[in-house]
Amino acid sequence: MGDQVKYVLDESRIPTHWYNIVADLPSPPPPVLHPGTMQPVGPDDLAPLFPMSLILQEVATEREVEIPSPVREVYRQWRPSPLYRARQLEKALQTPARIYYKYEGVSPSGSHKPNTAVAQAFYNREAGIRKIATETGAGQWGSSLAFAGALFGIEVQVFMVRVSYNQKPYRRALMETYGAKCIPSPSMETNFGRALLAKSPDNNGSLGIAISEAVEVAATRDDTNYALGSVLNHVLLHQTIVGQEAIAQLEMAGDYPDIVVGCTGGGSNFAGIAFPFIGNQLRGGPRVHVVAVEPAACPSLTRGRYAYDFGDTARLTPLAKMHTLGSSFMPPGFHAGGLRYHGMAPLVSHVKELGLIDARAYHQVACFEAGVLFARHEGILPAPEANHAVKGAIDEAMRCREEGVSRTILFNLCGHGHFDMQAYMDYFGGRLVDQDYDESELAMALAGLPSVTEPV
Amino acid sequence: MGDQVKYVLDESRIPTHWYNIVADLPSPPPPVLHPGTMQPVGPDDLAPLFPMSLILQEVATEREVEIPSPVREVYRQWRPSPLYRARQLEKALQTPARIYYKYEGVSPSGSHKPNTAVAQAFYNREAGIRKIATETGAGQWGSSLAFAGALFGIEVQVFMVRVSYNQKPYRRALMETYGAKCIPSPSMETNFGRALLAKSPDNNGSLGIAISEAVEVAATRDDTNYALGSVLNHVLLHQTIVGQEAIAQLEMAGDYPDIVVGCTGGGSNFAGIAFPFIGNQLRGGPRVHVVAVEPAACPSLTRGRYAYDFGDTARLTPLAKMHTLGSSFMPPGFHAGGLRYHGMAPLVSHVKELGLIDARAYHQVACFEAGVLFARHEGILPAPEANHAVKGAIDEAMRCREEGVSRTILFNLCGHGHFDMQAYMDYFGGRLVDQDYDESELAMALAGLPSVTEPV
């Protein structure tokens, strides 16, 4: 096993293909439905929003999808990302476990999001599109698409949840540095935004609302497409380079995980690290215990219903079967803004239903505690979202210690926390509290779910 | 030359030795003087502040100093740092030049500073020291020593220039995350600080004052040592791994620089990238044109006097011969806080006097313009300090275009700008202006230089 701490692959080892787990699953995921007809959507239904190449990836069934060389070219700037053995943390925990983490914070925007942003910008540009509208919560997706847009000559318009827009001016400045236009949502730019502001001028916004605005812009303007940073199959597909690289790097270490941990908001960084390992298992490889860690204040996988629901608040999107808290659910404010989404990626939800993964929910204070412990021993300051994965991995390592068993734990450190220092200041200042969602609000949101249970 | 953009060395290629340019210089640098006796300081004079191993490095004359294996062990977390070919920027500039940059922003604290912080923490710990006092301006040094202190079990107390302490709470939070104690300077913790506050309670502080406070603490407390993040020979020595790695990476690229560019405040990142190339030249290797870029508002190399001066405001430090604006010089406020120091590293100054490097000064708005251009094409957001090197490299590349000559340009991208977004917001908001220093204040500061010109 050697005493290495960092496993670096040569850039020639950047995966040549994305891995599509659908090819290995015992059953396909339920189809996405057109909200008007309740019938499976066809490629043409999605054409106003996405280039055809991405639509075809959304329904792809082949195991491997080739990564276009201009996309790999851009990946080379920061990929393969490093895999670390957390030796200092192991020592501090006095655990017999071997803890590894894949670090996606080395990308230009500091998270895993550019893995798909670059691909999406490329396919849009290839289709002749020069403008993309999108949404962002904490700002990681928005800044990643802004970066990718700058590289491929695409104007990017980002609807940023208003509360984040006001609280996180620095993420906004990063988007603007990359040349994107950032608009607080709800905004006066869309019918939906105007209607919301007419009712409540101080509406703080939500990810669901911001998605509605960006979709409205893309659907009503011929020259503008839409892009989503998580949830959709093609987004998860693009992230699978993370897990593929991790497999190769663990091979260098002569190791293989017993446990794989990722945090889940929409599900893309989790799927990125976990799906290639689950695929190995499905094809007869070693079993892995895969743990999805979500915020207790927005617990779609552990408390949501597996049902057809909309992806946005205005109910403009197709219906997808997923673990959902209801598209009208408003989670309390907490610091992992990237995990504040009512639904879980349909593919992650399906894999959960198939019993291939476990889910677990943590409150934020315990996650920050884990993140600070990690930073003091490993030097890297995790994003609040990633702190959930850190906490999950530490808990597994402590279980190894209690049981006196050495297991190999791999987690995805999906981004750094340089733009989240206010959250750390709040944590140190004792101003961070654990908030529960409102049970009656959840019940109401779930009661409002569309009644469709399968395609008509 | 291939079409690679990133050159990554295996961790086995982390240099085993630091490179000491003194061994190759045609004449040694002038000795450092004791401020009482005006005679060269001996190791014992410095013993209250530094461990003996660092004092010996300060006066070392051998070409190579072995890097202790626990230090290399920590380096492995982010070293070798990547070397990039700036192909997108080259295209945007339509230059025939080949532009490479060494990226030190991949370190845990986001700059080159941990290269020496880790070494200094190690040697102090080895000498049984458990507390270190230091100063920080923009916060890059303070957070780097905080990180290194956490790894080696050393309490770190950081005197942070008060104006930065107030303007940069996030850098402070990063230090606190690593477990360091951060104190706004001038403070009530030292005699010097109390005296200054008695005179002017709203004193904004300066790097010179913060150094005085940290030195006072270290000199008066038996259990506490002092650490400096730039200027001193041993600090520059530790940074030479940057240039050594760059030489190996350019070899992978089949290339060698005609021009090497670095930004200079105290001089350590500049020396780190430049000295190994200058050393090659001195030993009969290819000539390189080495350019030090400094802020026009604090231009020690281009406008300072080469004279004996103190390193701090309270005149507690030994006297070093360097390019200085006078230890009482107060530069105007500008955003590259890491470059706001009155003096230049004695070794860099000496190398300048020997005609081995050129110096150039830029105002900040032009540097931010260069930094934004760089970010839009290369994806990485540079620190305001690093923007000076970006600007210097771009100017050289444009000269290549004008002259129709292809040259190889290497510059040190010494840190990322994630903690400097306020500066970028000010730039985009048109609130960033170029400020000149006060000529009469400079004249006064120079008039106040100590009268000693050589050892007695």
Side-chain angles (χ1 to χ4, degrees):
Chain A
M1 224 120 336
D3 64 344
Q4 263 185 294
V5 292
K6 187 174 62 168
Y7 298 89
V8 178
L9 294 172
D10 185 79
E11 70 178 50
S12 65
R13 303 285 298 277
I14 293 173
T16 55
H17 293 74
W18 292 302
Y19 165 65
N20 183 8
I21 196 172
V22 172
D24 290 317
L25 291 176
S27 67
V32 169
L33 306 183
H34 190 288
T37 64
M38 297 300 169
Q39 291 189 337
V41 294
D44 290 348
D45 296 320
L46 298 171
L49 299 184
F50 302 107
M52 197 47 70
S53 41
L54 288 177
I55 294 171
L56 293 178
Q57 289 182 4
E58 195 60 22
V59 295
T61 54
E62 68 269 32
R63 182 173 291 127
E64 297 198 318
V65 176
E66 192 174 359
I67 305 176
S69 71
V71 173
R72 291 185 80 228
E73 192 68 19
V74 178
Y75 282 169
R76 282 159 59 187
Q77 193 187 357
W78 72 94
R79 304 212 70 86
S81 69
L83 177 91
Y84 289 105
R85 170 92 182 262
R87 289 190 182 272
Q88 305 280 346
L89 181 66
E90 289 170 15
K91 259 185 246 166
L93 299 175
Q94 298 180 281
T95 175
R98 292 187 298 282
I99 309 175
Y100 296 88
Y101 55 98
K102 182 76 170 160
Y103 184 42
E104 291 292 308
V106 293
S107 83
S109 65
S111 78
H112 63 294
K113 296 289 188 188
N115 295 335
T116 183
V118 169
Q120 292 190 49
F122 165 76
Y123 286 119
N124 273 286
R125 178 60 196 254
E126 203 191 32
I129 292 294
R130 301 300 290 264
K131 289 186 190 176
I132 298 180
T134 194
E135 71 290 319
T136 202
Q140 286 174 332
W141 166 242
S143 51
S144 300
L145 192 65
F147 154 68
L151 294 184
F152 288 101
I154 292 176
E155 262 181 56
V156 176
Q157 189 179 23
V158 184
F159 289 91
M160 186 171 187
V161 177
R162 185 179 294 269
V163 61
S164 297
Y165 183 92
N166 291 330
Q167 281 176 355
K168 303 200 164 194
Y170 293 169
R171 267 283 173 197
R172 178 161 41 108
L174 181 60
M175 292 182 236
E176 287 166 0
T177 303
Y178 289 139
K181 190 177 166 199
C182 196
I183 303 152
S185 164
S187 77
M188 297 300 284
E189 303 263 322
T190 65
N191 290 331
F192 187 59
R194 283 187 290 271
L196 288 175
L197 289 173
K199 262 194 285 183
S200 56
D202 54 353
N203 190 316
N204 264 332
S206 73
L207 210 47
I209 293 170
I211 295 176
S212 296
E213 290 205 81
V215 168
E216 183 184 321
V217 164
T220 54
R221 290 185 204 159
D222 274 354
D223 66 344
T224 306
N225 262 358
Y226 171 70
L228 189 64
S230 188
V231 178
L232 298 178
N233 297 353
H234 69 268
V235 180
L236 274 53
L237 178 78
H238 300 156
Q239 294 294 352
T240 57
I241 47 176
V242 177
Q244 289 185 66
E245 287 178 7
I247 288 173
Q249 287 162 315
L250 284 167
E251 206 172 287
M252 287 169 72
D255 215 338
Y256 196 87
D258 301 297
I259 301 161
V260 175
V261 182
C263 65
T264 46
S268 76
N269 96 74
F270 169 77
I273 193 141
F275 281 7
F277 289 97
I278 298 174
N280 275 355
Q281 174 182 324
L282 289 168
R283 292 190 307 277
R287 271 193 73 78
V288 277
H289 178 208
V290 179
V291 183
V293 183
E294 63 182 10
C298 192
S300 57
L301 269 176
T302 54
R303 298 294 312 278
R305 189 173 300 165
Y306 186 55
Y308 271 105
D309 196 8
F310 293 96
D312 71 322
T313 308
R315 302 187 156 209
L316 296 175
T317 69
L319 287 158
K321 195 157 186 187
M322 57 185 177
H323 290 89
T324 178
L325 302 162
S327 67
S328 67
F329 177 77
M330 282 285 271
F334 58 92
H335 273 293
L339 308 183
R340 292 182 74 240
Y341 185 62
H342 68 276
M344 179 49 56
L347 257 181
V348 172
S349 295
H350 182 57
V351 161
K352 170 82 162 55
E353 288 301 302
L354 290 171
L356 295 166
I357 65 169
D358 283 333
R360 193 180 296 170
Y362 289 116
H363 276 298
Q364 65 179 348
V365 173
C367 293
F368 272 87
E369 196 182 338
V372 169
L373 183 76
F374 181 84
R376 289 197 180 157
H377 292 285
E378 295 293 316
I380 298 172
L381 185 87
E385 292 81 5
N387 280 343
H388 289 74
V390 174
K391 168 72 177 154
I394 288 179
D395 277 9
E396 290 296 331
M398 292 313 285
R399 208 154 57 86
C400 288
R401 178 176 153 180
E402 281 155 31
E403 297 174 8
V405 181
S406 171
R407 296 189 191 95
T408 298
I409 301 167
L410 167 69
F411 73 94
N412 197 10
L413 190 66
C414 61
H416 65 60
H418 299 171
F419 294 97
D420 303 284
M421 293 314 296
Q422 189 59 50
Y424 280 90
M425 287 180 70
D426 289 349
Y427 170 72
F428 287 120
R431 291 183 297 277
L432 212 65
V433 291
D434 290 338
Q435 283 183 281
D436 272 310
Y437 55 87
D438 187 318
E439 284 283 358
S440 65
E441 206 190 316
L442 173 59
M444 216 159 68
L446 289 175
L449 282 176
S451 55
V452 58
T453 54
E454 54 187 285
V456 295
Chain B
M1 223 118 336
D3 63 344
Q4 264 185 293
V5 293
K6 188 175 60 168
Y7 298 89
V8 177
L9 294 172
D10 185 80
E11 70 178 50
S12 65
R13 304 284 300 278
I14 294 173
T16 54
H17 294 74
W18 292 302
Y19 165 66
N20 183 9
I21 196 171
V22 172
D24 290 318
L25 291 176
S27 67
V32 169
L33 305 184
H34 189 288
T37 64
M38 296 300 169
Q39 291 190 337
V41 294
D44 290 348
D45 296 321
L46 299 171
L49 298 185
F50 303 107
M52 197 47 69
S53 42
L54 289 177
I55 295 172
L56 294 177
Q57 289 182 3
E58 195 61 21
V59 295
T61 53
E62 68 268 35
R63 182 173 291 129
E64 297 198 318
V65 177
E66 192 173 359
I67 305 176
S69 70
V71 173
R72 292 185 79 227
E73 192 70 19
V74 178
Y75 282 168
R76 283 159 59 186
Q77 193 187 359
W78 72 93
R79 304 212 70 85
S81 69
L83 177 91
Y84 289 104
R85 169 92 182 261
R87 289 191 182 271
Q88 305 278 347
L89 180 67
E90 289 170 14
K91 259 184 245 166
L93 298 175
Q94 299 180 282
T95 176
R98 293 188 297 284
I99 309 175
Y100 297 87
Y101 55 98
K102 182 76 171 158
Y103 184 41
E104 291 292 308
V106 293
S107 83
S109 65
S111 78
H112 63 294
K113 295 288 188 189
N115 296 334
T116 184
V118 169
Q120 292 191 49
F122 165 77
Y123 287 117
N124 273 286
R125 177 61 196 252
E126 203 190 32
I129 293 294
R130 301 300 292 263
K131 290 187 189 175
I132 298 180
T134 194
E135 69 291 321
T136 200
Q140 286 173 333
W141 167 243
S143 50
S144 301
L145 192 66
F147 154 69
L151 293 185
F152 288 100
I154 292 176
E155 263 180 56
V156 176
Q157 189 178 22
V158 184
F159 289 90
M160 186 171 187
V161 177
R162 185 178 294 270
V163 61
S164 297
Y165 183 91
N166 291 330
Q167 282 176 356
K168 303 200 164 194
Y170 292 169
R171 267 284 172 196
R172 178 162 40 110
L174 181 59
M175 292 182 236
E176 287 166 0
T177 302
Y178 289 139
K181 190 176 166 200
C182 195
I183 303 153
S185 164
S187 76
M188 297 299 285
E189 305 263 322
T190 65
N191 290 330
F192 187 59
R194 284 187 290 271
L196 289 174
L197 289 174
K199 263 194 285 182
S200 56
D202 53 354
N203 189 317
N204 264 332
S206 73
L207 209 48
I209 293 170
I211 294 175
S212 295
E213 290 206 83
V215 168
E216 182 184 322
V217 165
T220 55
R221 291 186 203 157
D222 273 355
D223 67 345
T224 306
N225 262 357
Y226 170 70
L228 188 65
S230 190
V231 178
L232 298 178
N233 297 353
H234 69 267
V235 180
L236 275 53
L237 177 78
H238 300 156
Q239 294 294 351
T240 56
I241 47 175
V242 176
Q244 289 185 66
E245 287 179 7
I247 287 173
Q249 287 162 316
L250 284 167
E251 206 172 287
M252 287 169 73
D255 215 338
Y256 196 86
D258 301 297
I259 301 160
V260 175
V261 182
C263 64
T264 46
S268 77
N269 97 75
F270 168 78
I273 193 139
F275 280 7
F277 289 97
I278 297 173
N280 275 354
Q281 174 183 324
L282 289 168
R283 293 190 306 277
R287 271 194 73 81
V288 278
H289 178 208
V290 179
V291 183
V293 182
E294 64 182 9
C298 191
S300 57
L301 269 176
T302 54
R303 299 294 313 278
R305 189 173 300 164
Y306 185 56
Y308 272 104
D309 196 9
F310 293 95
D312 71 322
T313 307
R315 302 187 157 210
L316 297 175
T317 69
L319 287 159
K321 195 157 186 186
M322 56 185 178
H323 290 90
T324 178
L325 302 162
S327 66
S328 67
F329 177 77
M330 282 285 271
F334 57 92
H335 273 293
L339 308 182
R340 292 181 75 238
Y341 185 62
H342 68 276
M344 179 49 56
L347 257 180
V348 172
S349 294
H350 182 57
V351 161
K352 170 82 162 53
E353 289 300 302
L354 291 171
L356 294 166
I357 64 170
D358 282 334
R360 192 179 296 169
Y362 290 115
H363 276 298
Q364 64 179 349
V365 173
C367 293
F368 272 88
E369 196 183 336
V372 169
L373 183 76
F374 181 83
R376 289 197 180 158
H377 292 285
E378 294 293 317
I380 298 171
L381 186 87
E385 291 81 5
N387 280 343
H388 289 73
V390 174
K391 168 71 176 157
I394 288 178
D395 277 9
E396 290 296 332
M398 293 312 286
R399 208 154 57 87
C400 288
R401 179 177 151 180
E402 281 154 30
E403 297 173 6
V405 181
S406 172
R407 295 189 192 94
T408 297
I409 302 166
L410 167 69
F411 73 94
N412 197 9
L413 190 67
C414 61
H416 64 60
H418 298 172
F419 294 97
D420 304 284
M421 294 313 297
Q422 188 60 50
Y424 279 90
M425 287 179 70
D426 289 348
Y427 170 73
F428 287 121
R431 291 182 299 274
L432 212 65
V433 291
D434 289 338
Q435 284 183 281
D436 272 310
Y437 56 86
D438 188 320
E439 285 283 357
S440 65
E441 204 190 318
L442 173 59
M444 216 158 68
L446 289 175
L449 283 175
S451 55
V452 58
T453 54
E454 55 187 287
V456 293

